[in-house]
Amino acid sequence: MAGAAAVLEDDSLLSRLDRRLARAERVLALISGVFAFGLMVLAVVSVTGRNGFNEPLPGYVDWIEAFMPLIAILGISYVQRQGGHIRMDIVVGALRGRALWLAEWITTFLILVLMVALVWGSWAHFDRSFDFGAPMWSRDSSIDIGLPIWPAKLVVPIAFAVMCVRLVLQLWGYGRAFVLGLESPVAVPLVQSAAEIAAAEARQVEGRD
Amino acid sequence: TEWNVSLWGKRRAFTEHVHKLAELVEEKTDGEFTMNISYGGLSNNRENLDGISIGAFEMAQFCAGYHPDKNRAITVLELPFMGVSTLEEETAVSHAVYDHPAVTEEMAQWNAKMLMTSPMPQYNIVGTGEPRDELADFDGMRVRATGGLGEAFRAVGAVPTSVTSSEAYQAMEGGVVDTVAFAQHAHLSFGTINEADWWTANLNPGTVNCPVVVNIDAYESLSEDERAALDSSVPEAIDHYLANYGELLARWDSVLEERGVEKVMISEEQLAQFEEVGGAPIQQAWIEEMSGQGLPAQELFDLVKSTLNEQRGTN
Amino acid sequence: MEPIEIGLWVTGGLLVMVVLGMRVAFAAGLAGLLGLVWIFWVRKDYAAEEFGWALSVAVQTAGQVPHSKVSSQALSLIPTFILIGYLAYYAGLTRALFEAAKRWIAWVPGGLAVSTVFATAGFAAVSGASVATAAVFARIAIPEMLKVGYDKRFAAGVVAAGGTLASLIPPSAILVIYAIIVEQDVGKLLLAGFLPGVFSAFVYGALIIGLALTIRGFGPPVSGFTWRERLVALPPALPIVAVVVIIIFFVYNPFGGDAWGTPTEGGAIGAFIVFCMALWRGMRWGELKDALIETAKLSIMIFSIIWGVLIYVRFLGFAQLPDAFSNWITSLDYPPLLILVCILLAYAVLGMFMDAIGMLLLTLPVVYPAVMALNGGEFVSAEQSAFGMNGTMCAIWFGILVVKMAEFCLITPPIGLNCFVVAGVRPDLSVQDVFRGVTPFFIADAVTISLLVAFPGIVLWLPSLA
Ligand code: NA
Ligand code: NA
């Protein structure tokens, strides 16, 4: 969904940082997808083993639970870059220019507040399960095959930290748009209509070249 | 003082002592000290220790087998075939282990202090279809069995495939597992008995251990009276629990009959065989592994055995 | 301040943030986090030196939720069902299905739109997610409808509405979420969704035919396919049938005996078959990569709402709001059926502002026990119950009603996820366009829901066989 990313680009430092981060984010999203695929493979192996050889896969549930944060959270920043997290845009959709960028800046800032807190909280959650002195550094383990849980817990603060970087870039982008009064700023996902305008402009520019 | 208490599932025999405790404490302090019991609202059932450690709530129940690495020392109580046969013995053994410094120290890492146990009878399994009444039938069986019980089943070729108790019914209904090992109250409360065709009456491989803990800071900031009220109510709460559970066990046969569940007896010979591979070898392996991790494993193991003997001597 | 009052204030704040356009997942998470801070601080009587403690406890409590709530075997169904939908799209199965539907049914009035509805219904049988279904059919069906002169808004509306069928016709991620929240049997719920899903498809079809007959300049029927052309269109769509059969066997064995495994496993096997098909059709790494990234995006979007809302729900747990609500509902002195209808209407209103999954997650912990109590409790017999069905059947019936309501919300403004998705896939359409085009389907859904309330048998017949 939201197939075409409505994020504009140019040669500015902000846009270069945006694109560099976007490449990293895409890798993380791909890892999420690959593990979703892995979930499928795991199920195929489990079903085949169980029905074909009377050999259920040991720790099937443990492995699924270990995979899930990779699938469900790792690529969160990629989705944010593309404006893919859903929202109600009936109010922001009606705004234009500085009012729009101000509204975007405020809601983005609130997300940053949440994310910084969650980096802290999810790190603490990881930290409680991690112990340098213990075997496999583990102070929390899965039910059946005793997998250490800290790696899966670590995924969350990592993904959220990347998300924080993304949010800072977006705040920069919206702030710049607000200060300079831009029509179609770079490095931020644009509300559909604004994106259309920008695309139309781009096409016109191409036509004149 | 108002305490938040984090439990899971719904009110059942397994949580009656907590309700009794809350009642007694409130009574003894003339309503000064109350407890707010929440079923699943405050935490995930596998994260009650985390919540205690954070200080999000003051009291919680958890099961050792849900996360062995969080509570290595008390996993001794979940070893299979330890020979505990009554709830009274289970209570005595648990509290003896809870008082051991190794346990106190480990719990202190979670800012937790052991308050009391939730003694449970031997776990037996329910399943659908043809009864699995021979060890050979356990080969390739996906059984919901945590901790040492899981190990025992693994020793005879089964594959422990576990979820927490709240998810067990779905796991059975949805085909994630073939059989579920539970104590009687849980088979009732979580509905696995409604889904079952048979129940093993005498497999008795062991049980799980689920203590109730309190947050140390909260405990220490209680007034003298409040703390006295709490501490003195534990034995009464446990007595209430035992009486209540006794009633449940007494009507168990009629529960089975009502739901058309076949009572499967496993032959002495098969049981002996199970104990041979699922008992001592797993206990020894546990002692070795935990000693390797620096726990006084042999000491804890012997403590269970000696308490058990003592308990039998006095009765 | 009482915890319940804090609960109400924070809930109000959440609504304000959502209306102002904050991403829903994070608005819920932030509301929950701030609510937790408040509730811990109030316990220390707002002592200034205790604020740090309250903040730390709240942050750590909230910080557990994302990992702990997504690490669930049951929820692993969601990415699997999304993956299967995208793989089917890249394997060309969706197009084959649409082509077959077109050649067989497009001769009726409003032909292409009716074909689209039935193709989405067929695709629903392999896809577990409404939004994924809407996304793939926006790419396939809308261009065809535009070619023969349909109004672009109506074409988009057909796809957005047709997509909702995926959540009733099994497999369905949202039914699984319902089953998890209320701790009911996933298999029976999935079975129960089948007839209402097919029923909805027929109501949509009838509506379109009615519109085509009354409105001039509506898209023309597409006829002139020979029987030969119709027959050759069938084999390419057959793998869908194979996948459907497999998923059914994993949910419920029609020949008696145990199901073959879990719905998740069924979905995974189905996805694997579709994957092999796609490989055979020449899918390259580039396309697989696209399918995987699309799967990741949609999964992450859904899971973000799940954990965000669950932070808020954790706060509600500390605020004891659900208990208060439950007691209030059951103390009302009105006929149970009237209360049930009011609850469904409340879902329609709430659904205007929330997305389906968020809404279910947010409300069910409170509403479900109340509905069960209305019927006479979990273990009530059919004779003694208020709705004339036992506890299990009531749970299933209410589940299907609520999911149908949630699907209805997928196409209602201002937050109608399906319409957003269609607009996202088609840059030439704004969200407002899609909302306008989907309006007629509100009527169809209202009719369907009334019939499901009046005749519970449509829902309960299949699961009562299992
Ligand atoms: Na479906
Ligand atoms: Na809506």
Side-chain angles (χ1 to χ4, degrees):
Chain A
M1 56 173 289
V7 180
L8 300 181
E9 300 171 352
D10 66 13
D11 289 334
S12 66
L13 174 63
L14 174 60
S15 182
R16 288 206 308 273
L17 288 176
D18 163 56
R19 274 171 287 162
R20 191 165 304 169
L21 182 60
R23 269 201 298 276
E25 289 168 331
R26 197 176 152 82
V27 172
L28 294 182
L30 185 59
I31 294 175
S32 284
V34 167
F35 273 89
F37 193 82
L39 208 59
M40 177 191 90
V41 174
L42 203 62
V44 172
V45 170
S46 162
V47 171
T48 318
R50 187 173 75 231
N51 295 337
F53 309 94
N54 196 32
E55 289 284 339
L57 184 64
Y60 179 44
V61 175
D62 297 26
W63 284 113
I64 290 178
E65 290 180 352
F67 277 17
M68 284 306 289
L70 285 160
I71 298 167
I73 294 178
L74 192 61
I76 187 169
S77 174
Y78 181 73
V79 182
Q80 176 68 17
R81 197 245 178 190
Q82 309 216 328
H85 290 289
I86 62 147
R87 66 166 171 186
M88 205 174 115
D89 63 1
I90 209 135
V91 172
V92 282
L95 299 178
R96 287 281 173 277
R98 284 206 160 91
L100 174 62
W101 309 135
L102 182 64
E104 295 278 25
W105 196 93
I106 291 171
T107 54
T108 308
F109 180 74
L110 289 177
I111 300 177
L112 182 63
V113 170
L114 173 70
M115 278 299 150
V116 169
L118 288 181
V119 169
W120 168 13
S122 61
W123 175 267
H125 189 52
F126 152 77
D127 198 34
R128 279 191 303 274
S129 67
F130 184 85
D131 180 355
F132 260 120
M136 294 198 282
W137 298 339
S138 169
R139 208 146 72 88
D140 188 8
S141 48
S142 68
I143 294 189
D144 289 322
I145 53 173
L147 284 180
I149 294 184
W150 63 262
K153 287 185 176 171
L154 185 56
V155 168
V156 182
I158 289 177
F160 286 180
V162 177
M163 176 81 166
C164 287
V165 178
R166 164 57 59 199
L167 290 167
V168 168
L169 285 186
Q170 289 186 346
L171 282 178
W172 180 356
Y174 288 129
R176 186 169 157 272
F178 176 75
V179 171
L180 303 178
L182 300 177
E183 253 327 289
S184 39
V186 295
V188 293
L190 298 177
V191 176
Q192 200 64 55
S193 51
E196 282 173 51
I197 297 165
E201 276 175 359
R203 255 178 273 125
Q204 275 187 333
V205 173
E206 270 176 358
R208 259 179 273 154
D209 277 353
Chain B
T1 311
E2 190 186 21
W3 272 15
N4 280 324
V5 185
S6 174
L7 312 179
W8 69 90
K10 54 186 174 195
R11 184 167 176 172
R12 56 199 188 278
F14 178 67
T15 59
E16 274 308 317
H17 54 335
V18 181
H19 287 273
K20 186 70 182 176
L21 189 74
E23 211 177 278
L24 289 170
V25 165
E26 188 168 347
E27 222 170 79
K28 290 181 187 176
T29 59
D30 293 327
E32 276 302 297
F33 184 8
T34 58
M35 293 184 185
N36 228 332
I37 298 172
S38 168
Y39 284 92
L42 310 183
S43 172
N44 224 12
N45 45 16
R46 274 152 77 177
E47 274 147 17
N48 272 339
L49 261 183
D50 293 76
I52 288 287
S53 159
I54 295 167
F57 36 82
E58 287 76 17
M59 191 168 168
Q61 188 176 32
F62 67 91
C63 289
Y66 286 0
H67 35 53
D69 285 2
K70 280 183 183 167
N71 40 250
R72 292 181 168 88
I74 58 167
T75 54
V76 67
L77 292 164
E78 297 198 332
L79 285 174
F81 296 107
M82 291 294 273
V84 178
S85 51
T86 65
L87 294 181
E88 286 78 7
E89 287 175 5
E90 182 66 32
T91 310
V93 169
S94 299
H95 284 168
V97 170
Y98 294 173
D99 289 338
H100 192 281
V103 173
T104 317
E105 192 189 319
E106 190 171 48
M107 281 301 110
Q109 293 179 3
W110 295 98
N111 205 8
K113 172 184 157 19
M114 290 290 194
L115 188 68
M116 59 182 176
T117 188
S118 320
M120 271 187 285
Q122 294 286 306
Y123 269 38
N124 275 288
I125 61 177
V126 295
T128 53
E130 283 299 299
R132 302 190 189 237
D133 53 2
E134 301 207 355
L135 288 192
D137 297 335
F138 291 172
D139 187 42
M141 169 179 85
R142 290 163 305 149
V143 57
R144 184 269 173 199
T146 63
L149 285 174
E151 294 300 322
F153 282 111
R154 204 194 310 275
V156 290
V159 180
T161 305
S162 303
V163 289
T164 59
S165 56
S166 353
E167 300 159 299
Y169 175 79
Q170 281 197 344
M172 188 170 173
E173 173 70 52
V176 177
V177 298
D178 304 312
T179 52
V180 172
F182 263 156
Q184 283 88 334
H185 80 273
H187 280 312
L188 260 182
S189 165
F190 293 107
T192 43
I193 201 71
N194 305 330
E195 184 67 9
D197 293 330
W198 50 268
W199 172 76
T200 60
N202 64 337
L203 192 59
N204 299 343
T207 187
V208 306
N209 195 268
C210 306
V212 175
V213 293
V214 295
N215 174 291
I216 291 179
D217 299 332
Y219 181 77
E220 284 174 354
S221 60
L222 290 176
S223 71
E224 289 283 310
D225 289 350
E226 289 170 340
R227 197 169 327 140
L230 180 65
D231 288 340
S232 69
S233 298
V234 167
E236 277 176 80
I238 292 272
D239 284 347
H240 172 78
Y241 178 105
L242 294 177
N244 182 62
Y245 214 115
E247 280 166 30
L248 191 153
L249 292 181
R251 64 185 169 88
W252 181 246
D253 277 354
S254 64
V255 168
L256 293 179
E257 213 167 296
E258 252 169 47
R259 291 172 169 74
V261 177
E262 184 185 345
K263 197 166 161 178
V264 175
M265 297 297 282
I266 296 173
S267 72
E268 288 302 323
E269 181 203 356
Q270 291 283 314
L271 285 177
Q273 230 177 0
F274 190 15
E275 178 159 1
E276 196 181 313
V277 290
I282 288 171
Q283 296 166 3
Q284 284 313 311
W286 181 88
I287 292 174
E288 256 168 59
E289 196 195 335
M290 290 298 152
S291 302
Q293 298 183 13
L295 274 181
Q298 187 68 50
E299 206 181 309
L300 286 163
F301 185 81
D302 293 343
L303 179 61
V304 172
K305 290 293 184 186
S306 61
T307 313
L308 200 53
N309 286 335
E310 232 170 80
Q311 180 74 8
R312 288 193 176 148
T314 57
N315 284 354
Chain C
M1 195 174 291
E2 286 296 305
I4 291 170
E5 288 175 64
I6 298 180
L8 292 173
W9 275 107
V10 169
T11 304
L14 168 59
L15 286 180
V16 170
M17 284 192 283
V18 169
V19 169
L20 288 182
M22 187 159 165
R23 314 264 163 197
V24 175
F26 308 124
L30 187 64
L33 175 68
L34 297 179
L36 283 168
V37 175
W38 193 348
I39 235 156
F40 288 123
W41 201 27
V42 81
R43 297 187 70 185
K44 303 280 180 183
D45 296 324
Y46 301 115
E49 71 277 7
E50 294 288 359
F51 180 76
W53 174 84
L55 180 66
S56 157
V57 175
V59 162
Q60 294 191 57
T61 302
Q64 294 178 314
V65 174
H67 168 268
S68 123
K69 290 300 179 180
V70 306
S71 302
S72 148
Q73 187 269 332
L75 289 179
S76 69
L77 200 73
I78 292 171
T80 308
F81 283 174
I82 291 173
L83 179 67
I84 201 175
Y86 281 112
L87 284 177
Y89 172 68
Y90 284 100
L93 285 176
T94 330
R95 182 166 293 283
L97 198 63
F98 181 67
E99 197 56 39
K102 187 172 92 180
R103 291 186 193 187
W104 284 82
I105 17 189
W107 55 269
V108 302
L112 266 187
V114 178
S115 309
T116 303
V117 165
F118 282 96
T120 50
F123 187 69
V126 293
S127 167
S130 293
V131 280
T133 308
V136 295
F137 275 90
R139 290 183 184 135
I140 294 169
I142 293 180
E144 298 248 1
M145 283 189 272
L146 295 188
K147 236 185 279 171
V148 298
Y150 275 79
D151 175 57
K152 71 173 181 177
R153 287 176 297 201
F154 184 74
V158 171
V159 169
T164 67
L165 297 173
S167 292
L168 280 173
I169 297 175
S172 155
I174 200 161
L175 272 174
V176 173
I177 290 174
Y178 175 85
I180 291 164
I181 299 175
V182 307
E183 295 177 358
Q184 284 290 334
D185 174 10
V186 177
K188 281 203 175 112
L189 267 161
L190 290 177
L191 274 183
F194 182 77
L195 277 184
V198 173
F199 187 74
S200 293
F202 276 98
V203 175
Y204 285 168
L207 174 89
I208 295 168
I209 293 176
L211 288 175
L213 291 176
T214 48
I215 298 174
R216 252 184 327 143
F218 198 85
V222 181
S223 50
F225 290 108
T226 66
W227 283 102
R228 204 190 120 73
E229 280 171 320
R230 287 179 179 171
L231 289 175
V232 297
L234 288 182
L238 276 184
I240 295 264
V241 179
V243 171
V244 172
V245 169
I246 284 172
I247 292 177
I248 288 175
F249 270 87
F250 271 85
V251 173
Y252 158 68
N253 190 338
F255 302 117
D258 289 339
W260 292 358
T262 66
T264 321
E265 287 169 341
I269 303 287
F272 186 70
I273 292 172
V274 175
F275 171 66
C276 294
M277 277 271 320
L279 279 186
W280 182 66
R281 292 258 181 116
M283 181 174 68
R284 304 262 168 239
W285 165 238
E287 288 155 317
L288 177 61
K289 203 162 86 175
D290 285 347
L292 294 183
I293 287 190
E294 291 297 311
T295 302
K297 272 167 66 178
L298 194 50
S299 305
I300 290 165
M301 193 206 77
I302 291 174
F303 275 104
S304 297
I305 298 172
I306 291 180
W307 63 250
V309 166
L310 284 174
I311 291 178
Y312 171 68
V313 167
R314 175 61 36 85
F315 153 72
L316 287 184
F318 278 91
Q320 296 159 27
L321 201 60
D323 298 344
F325 184 81
S326 238
N327 292 338
W328 175 70
I329 280 274
T330 41
S331 72
L332 293 176
D333 196 19
Y334 296 107
L337 193 64
L338 181 65
I339 298 182
L340 180 78
V341 170
C342 289
I343 289 176
L344 292 178
L345 288 177
Y347 271 113
V349 175
L350 197 58
M352 293 172 71
F353 303 102
M354 296 207 59
D355 101 286
I357 292 171
M359 181 173 83
L360 288 197
L361 283 169
L362 209 57
T363 57
L364 281 177
V366 173
V367 174
Y368 171 76
V371 170
M372 292 300 276
L374 277 181
N375 188 44
E378 208 175 327
F379 300 109
V380 71
S381 68
E383 295 76 39
Q384 287 164 339
S385 67
F387 301 133
M389 59 190 79
N390 68 31
T392 312
M393 286 299 160
C394 179
I396 292 173
W397 182 53
F398 182 63
I400 299 300
L401 289 179
V402 155
V403 167
K404 182 67 197 174
M405 286 312 298
E407 291 309 292
F408 179 56
C409 299
L410 283 179
I411 55 173
T412 58
I415 298 191
L417 200 47
N418 266 15
C419 299
F420 282 68
V421 167
V422 171
V425 172
R426 305 279 316 179
D428 54 330
L429 284 161
S430 75
V431 178
Q432 281 73 14
D433 288 337
V434 187
F435 278 131
R436 202 159 307 153
V438 86
T439 313
F441 294 94
F442 296 171
I443 301 161
D445 274 350
V447 169
T448 308
I449 291 164
S450 317
L451 290 174
L452 295 183
V453 172
F455 305 105
I458 305 173
V459 176
L460 299 179
W461 181 61
L462 269 183
S464 67
L465 297 181

